Amino acid sequence: MRKIRTYIQLLFILLSTLSFSQKQQMDGYLFAYFEGKGAGDKQEQIRFAVSDDAINWKALYNNKPVLKSSEISNTGGVRDPHILRGGKNDGYFMVATDMYTHKNGWDHNPGLVLLHSKDLIDWKSTPIDLEKTYPKKFKDVKWVWASQTFFDTKTQKYLVYFTVRYYNDLKLDFYAAYANEDFTAFESVPELLYRAKDGAIDGDIIYKDGLYHLFYKGNTKDENGKEIQNGIKQATSKKLLGPYQERFEYIDAYADQNTTVEGSSVFKLNDRDEYILMYDLYSSGRYEFQRSKDLYEFTQETESFTKDFSPRHGSVISITKEEAKRLNTKWGGVPQNLLTDADGTFQFKATGNPIIKHKYTADPAALVENDTLWLFTGHDYAGGQKGYKMKDWLVFSTTDMENWTEHPVPLKITDFTWATSGDAYAGHVTERNGKYYWYISTNWNGIGVAVADKPQGPYKDALGKPLLTNEDCFASSHSWTCIDPAIFIDKDDQPWIFWGNGVCYYAKLKDNMIEIDGEIKTIDFEGLDFTEAPWVHEKDDTFYLTYATGFPEKIAYATAKNLDGPYEYGGILNELAGNSNTNHQSVVEFKDQWYFIYHNGGIQPDGSSYSRSVCIDKLIYNEDGSLKRVQMTSEGVAPVDE
């Protein structure tokens, strides 16, 4: 009978741990931490980072605090944040050490901070000073460190546990108490939870297979009480409140070395039965981890996180895509994989220039259909490149110039089997007879054309060979002359193609859009200094040819009353684009406003001539039809009405 009762109790715990959080699809991870570098008065604050794989992390809010320590703590600083998903669909819980060492030093901190949120964004906080709240028990307390929270499935309450040291006792012990219903205080005086043989700090409890595993930083002392070794240990118990049985072997890979670790935290990966034990190598400024499938045997080789911040003691929870989107809306910085919808689209807002900040884009080409602007771009490799590395093209859409959708990659250079250069250079998309044609350049292999049934693709090679090659560029001698195609369809429904580097070529297209119709010609006029990137648009019976000129490139323009010319030079339209040798423009009218779309190297610190970013500013006409010089702005353009 006793065995049956024990079995039922264990089954209850197991079923209870299948909480609301685990029934949801978990796609990413949220890391709560405080910073280990930078100005001292900025470090002891809560920050968030997000990952889609628990290995590669991106700081939210540009690594600025998401909560102000001065507003949530008694001391003005917080350390060691521990975050927990509620076990009763009741939000999220966080606890932290109430300590501001930059101002007050290390001698004394008697408290901790309890925080609760319904959405991960807005947090209600309550600092608790154990010395004042429980003077009989904690009147001689020296430290209250590294508090954490665990949801007790039996009591349906939250147990808060932390390390305590008294002035008159050098021992570091764990104390614990249940929080009240609204997570603003303790139900009773905290009591001793676990006393390791030689002391313990930075505890983290995780439940698996009927056992509670308490990981912590422990010590080994000789007969004289001198510490001779320290590192990550664990103790186990069948009950949350103990007793815990100490396991004396060290887990971390540095226990036999001079490298010291602390701040251990354990969490389970979303997609497999594997656990990460991470810890802070605080003396060397690193954060590393080891893996385990059973919480007993851990990999001996350590691994490092990829991150853009310098965390100290923190903790991790799993999050859903919906939660990731919420975090991104508030603070930004969430990896794109966690913001991508099931259909492969990704929603984002343009916040000034560049309009696309989550990846590097170049060579914009715009197409307006009804109330939607479609933006087609090249795709530069990540920042800090030393040359042009472009392997695919991207497509975005908007109805208001503020809210954008990125669609799945519609076209890759490998879709053109003849394009042995491997270079996905500038292109242009146009609609014709219900089909969408994407004209692309490939560096020295020529200009190709792909076709799709909808603007977002997917596109496929329409010819199986180039539409134009260097042989068609009779007035040029260098190998990259056959690039930068641009399409214009005139009022007589005649399609034209313009292209070139060093010489501006143009020709008619046949109605099928995949054959040249007749003679290939060149454009020349007084004042022309043509580099590349031709683009033609029409307004008030005037044709405007814009193009890149010089190097580094500016954008110039010319006008004509006929596409065949003669053209008259109009002057410089756009000055040098910041931090980029090239410039490449698209001109389009959208909802009664003309726009000039271009690229620069404006994403810092790694934007460059080879890691470019698309920007949008207004294009303004003078009364005589000439163009005002484009004013490039950081603010970009305002949203337009739906």
Side-chain angles (χ1 to χ4, degrees):
M1 190 70 184
R2 185 176 178 181
K3 289 183 178 179
I4 294 175
R5 187 162 54 248
T6 302
Y7 174 78
I8 293 174
Q9 290 173 341
L10 291 174
L11 181 62
F12 174 77
I13 295 174
L14 180 61
L15 292 174
S16 297
T17 56
L18 295 175
S19 62
F20 173 81
S21 66
Q22 292 169 309
K23 293 176 184 177
Q24 299 180 90
Q25 174 65 43
M26 295 293 159
D27 297 290
Y29 306 86
L30 173 65
F31 187 179
Y33 62 96
F34 74 102
E35 183 73 0
K37 290 186 178 179
D41 60 344
K42 298 293 193 298
Q43 291 184 20
E44 292 170 308
Q45 313 236 17
I46 294 173
R47 292 167 165 84
F48 284 166
V50 168
S51 172
D52 58 5
D53 61 4
I55 309 300
N56 301 286
W57 295 89
K58 294 289 292 182
L60 303 189
Y61 202 32
N62 294 318
N63 200 29
K64 293 185 289 187
V66 298
L67 297 170
K68 292 183 178 179
S69 294
S70 59
E71 297 178 357
I72 64 175
S73 66
N74 286 329
T75 64
V78 297
R79 302 171 64 88
D80 319 319
H82 178 263
I83 191 167
L84 178 74
R85 179 183 295 278
K88 299 183 290 186
N89 191 19
D90 51 353
Y92 313 86
F93 299 83
M94 194 156 48
V95 288
T97 305
D98 193 344
M99 192 174 192
Y100 193 14
T101 64
H102 177 73
K103 179 181 178 182
N104 304 321
W106 291 89
D107 187 61
H108 179 60
N109 85 289
L112 54 103
V113 182
L114 304 183
L115 302 101
H116 178 237
S117 173
K118 295 181 179 180
D119 57 8
L120 286 174
I121 307 301
D122 298 309
W123 293 84
K124 295 181 179 180
S125 60
T126 307
I128 298 178
D129 187 321
L130 268 67
E131 190 175 37
K132 292 180 179 179
T133 307
Y134 308 106
K136 184 176 180 180
K137 182 86 170 183
F138 294 102
K139 65 177 180 178
D140 294 321
V141 70
K142 178 180 175 66
W143 293 328
V144 177
W145 279 1
S147 52
Q148 301 210 169
T149 305
F150 190 91
F151 179 65
D152 187 341
T153 56
K154 284 187 176 180
T155 63
Q156 295 288 294
K157 296 178 181 179
Y158 294 94
L159 183 75
V160 180
Y161 56 100
F162 42 86
T163 298
V164 168
R165 178 184 166 185
Y166 292 92
Y167 279 107
N168 57 3
D169 186 352
L170 297 180
K171 201 71 174 293
L172 289 160
D173 297 322
F174 287 114
Y175 281 73
Y178 286 109
N180 62 4
E181 185 66 26
D182 57 4
F183 208 70
T184 58
F186 295 137
E187 287 186 341
S188 59
V189 180
E191 299 291 342
L192 182 67
L193 174 69
Y194 172 61
R195 168 167 269 211
K197 179 178 180 294
D198 293 315
I201 61 172
D202 296 352
D204 189 17
I205 297 174
I206 188 168
Y207 180 82
K208 177 175 171 58
D209 298 336
L211 283 178
Y212 296 91
H213 297 254
L214 170 59
F215 292 88
Y216 58 91
K217 180 183 178 180
N219 307 274
T220 301
K221 297 181 179 180
D222 62 18
E223 62 274 10
N224 298 316
K226 180 182 178 181
E227 182 180 302
I228 58 175
Q229 193 176 16
N230 64 63
I232 306 302
K233 290 184 175 182
Q234 75 163 303
T236 57
S237 173
K238 293 182 179 180
K239 297 180 180 180
L240 177 59
L241 297 180
Y244 283 85
Q245 180 179 356
E246 184 171 357
R247 297 172 63 89
F248 289 97
E249 67 272 16
Y250 288 94
I251 299 171
D252 67 283
Y254 297 97
D256 295 326
Q257 303 177 29
N258 291 327
T259 302
T260 50
V261 305
E262 66 179 21
S264 61
S265 185
V266 182
F267 63 93
K268 184 182 178 299
L269 295 179
N270 293 332
D271 57 351
R272 54 191 180 275
D273 191 20
E274 185 173 271
Y275 296 82
I276 296 291
L277 167 66
M278 66 181 193
Y279 42 76
D280 177 12
L281 287 77
Y282 59 94
S283 61
S284 54
R286 306 200 310 274
Y287 224 95
E288 295 184 354
F289 65 93
Q290 295 167 243
R291 301 172 186 261
S292 176
K293 292 185 177 180
D294 60 6
L295 295 180
Y296 290 110
E297 299 294 329
F298 287 83
T299 54
Q300 293 304 301
E301 293 293 326
T302 62
E303 300 175 65
S304 296
F305 296 121
T306 299
K307 50 188 172 48
D308 57 354
F309 54 101
S310 301
R312 293 296 311 276
H313 188 170
S315 59
V316 172
I317 62 169
S318 296
I319 57 173
T320 66
K321 281 193 172 183
E322 193 61 39
E323 291 163 339
K325 290 179 180 179
R326 197 156 64 231
L327 290 164
N328 193 69
T329 298
K330 177 66 175 180
W331 291 300
V334 172
Q336 185 177 344
N337 285 349
L338 292 177
L339 305 175
T340 301
D341 294 330
D343 62 358
T345 60
F346 165 51
Q347 316 294 325
F348 66 97
K349 285 183 179 290
T351 55
N353 282 324
I355 61 167
I356 302 160
K357 297 182 173 70
H358 58 278
K359 57 181 58 173
Y360 294 93
T361 54
D363 305 326
L367 170 69
V368 173
E369 279 204 328
N370 301 319
D371 65 345
T372 300
L373 184 146
W374 294 90
L375 178 64
F376 306 89
T377 76
H379 181 199
D380 283 341
Y381 269 31
Q385 297 299 322
K386 302 301 182 183
Y388 296 109
K389 295 182 180 180
M390 309 172 73
K391 300 301 178 185
D392 56 16
W393 293 269
L394 305 177
V395 58
F396 307 84
S397 63
T398 183
T399 58
D400 63 4
M401 302 299 280
E402 178 184 30
N403 297 286
W404 289 81
T405 298
E406 179 179 356
H407 300 269
V409 173
L411 186 62
K412 301 177 181 178
I413 190 63
T414 52
D415 293 330
F416 300 93
T417 57
W418 48 267
T420 57
S421 69
D423 294 324
Y425 281 9
H428 185 129
V429 176
T430 193
E431 185 274 336
R432 180 76 164 179
N433 299 325
K435 298 285 187 180
Y436 296 85
Y437 295 88
W438 198 327
Y439 299 81
I440 57 90
S441 47
T442 63
N443 198 353
W444 45 266
N445 282 132
I447 290 171
V449 56
V451 65
D453 294 323
K454 51 188 179 181
Q456 63 267 44
Y459 287 78
K460 63 180 181 179
D461 188 355
L463 277 172
K465 62 180 181 179
L467 172 67
L468 293 161
T469 68
N470 289 342
E471 293 182 1
D472 297 301
C473 301
F474 53 86
S476 304
S477 58
H478 57 280
S479 63
W480 62 94
T481 186
C482 192
I483 63 171
D484 292 1
I487 308 302
F488 180 77
I489 300 176
D490 65 24
K491 292 179 179 178
D492 296 325
D493 207 31
Q494 171 63 55
W496 301 74
I497 183 170
F498 296 77
W499 75 95
N501 178 283
V503 175
C504 185
Y505 297 92
Y506 75 105
K508 291 181 179 180
L509 286 168
K510 291 184 178 180
D511 189 60
N512 63 16
M513 302 298 285
I514 57 174
E515 293 180 89
I516 299 298
D517 186 7
E519 181 183 3
I520 293 175
K521 302 178 182 179
T522 63
I523 292 178
D524 196 10
F525 53 85
E526 184 178 350
L528 175 64
D529 179 14
F530 179 84
T531 302
E532 58 188 2
W535 181 280
V536 174
H537 74 278
E538 182 183 9
K539 183 179 186 296
D540 298 332
D541 297 322
T542 297
F543 297 98
Y544 294 81
L545 169 67
T546 56
Y547 54 92
T549 184
F551 196 83
E553 295 173 352
K554 302 176 182 180
I555 300 299
Y557 81 99
T559 57
K561 290 301 181 181
N562 297 289
L563 272 176
D564 281 313
Y567 284 87
E568 180 180 350
Y569 180 65
I572 298 298
L573 178 59
N574 182 219
E575 292 288 351
L576 299 177
N579 206 32
S580 175
N581 286 330
T582 63
N583 204 340
H584 194 115
Q585 80 297 345
S586 174
V587 175
V588 67
E589 183 181 22
F590 180 59
K591 296 190 174 180
D592 299 321
Q593 172 64 54
W594 285 88
Y595 293 99
F596 183 82
I597 309 175
Y598 59 102
H599 69 233
N600 64 15
I603 292 183
Q604 294 302 311
D606 292 326
S608 69
S609 290
Y610 310 110
S611 297
R612 298 160 294 183
S613 301
V614 169
C615 303
I616 302 179
D617 281 300
K618 287 184 178 180
L619 182 71
I620 299 174
Y621 295 84
N622 295 311
E623 289 186 4
D624 63 358
S626 62
L627 297 175
K628 289 188 177 181
R629 192 163 297 196
V630 172
Q631 179 67 40
M632 294 183 288
T633 68
S634 298
E635 295 80 8
V637 298
V640 296
D641 294 335
E642 292 281 356

